[in-house]
Amino acid sequence: MARLKYLRSKGGEGPLEHVLAQLPPADAVTLRRPIRRDCWYPLSLQLRLDDAIASVVSPGERSDAFIEVGRAYADAILDRTQRQNVTSTAPKLFLESLPRLYRAYHTAGHREYEPVGQNAGIIRTFDANWRVPMDHCWTVVGCLQRGLELSGADTVLVTETSCRAVGASCCEYRCEWHGAEATTVGANC
């Protein structure tokens, strides 16, 4: 689980144990076991873990911790071939791949991509049957930022423009970037 790897990067087992101590005992037991890539972990567990991470890592500015967790998640889900095979259109290819990636990691809802100009796009998440607190949307912001960077964009701005947590019909993120001037072909998204 990318979140645990992120915590270990913050100082080894110490930060991880401090976060696990903030969780209900059953969650801590689950997360102390070897993490299996072929298992699904409930969203509710991940949300509790994110809250504990934010409380420990960045209690004054929780959004910073959520963004960092999202960036770590992007590192975990995007394979090395995508990182190595960058083209000038790789940021768009990354955004185009998000509906497929969403289906692979979520059991409800769907994600859509809408291109907007040469270096911008909008990502929308619809119909998820769960409601998450508003600050958890920062993990999506971090994931989108890092995914675009790994796809060759140098300067990335991701802005959440609507949120289901406050009554909108979808969560919407506007992604803008510059750079992506690499010339290698064959991005694997």
Side-chain angles (χ1 to χ4, degrees), residues 3-16 19 53 56-58 64-65 68-69:
R3 290 160 172 87
L4 301 181
K5 185 176 179 181
Y6 161 74
L7 277 171
R8 286 185 178 101
S9 77
K10 292 299 220 181
E13 295 298 315
L16 174 61
V19 166
I53 290 170
V56 169
V57 173
S58 188
D64 291 345
E68 286 185 27
V69 166

Side-chain angles (χ1 to χ4, degrees), residues 109-130:
H110 69 281
R111 192 164 273 166
E112 296 177 356
Y113 164 60
E114 176 188 342
V116 180
Q118 185 66 20
N119 291 344
I122 295 175
I123 297 296
R124 293 182 186 95
T125 305
F126 293 94
D127 302 327
N129 62 358
W130 38 266

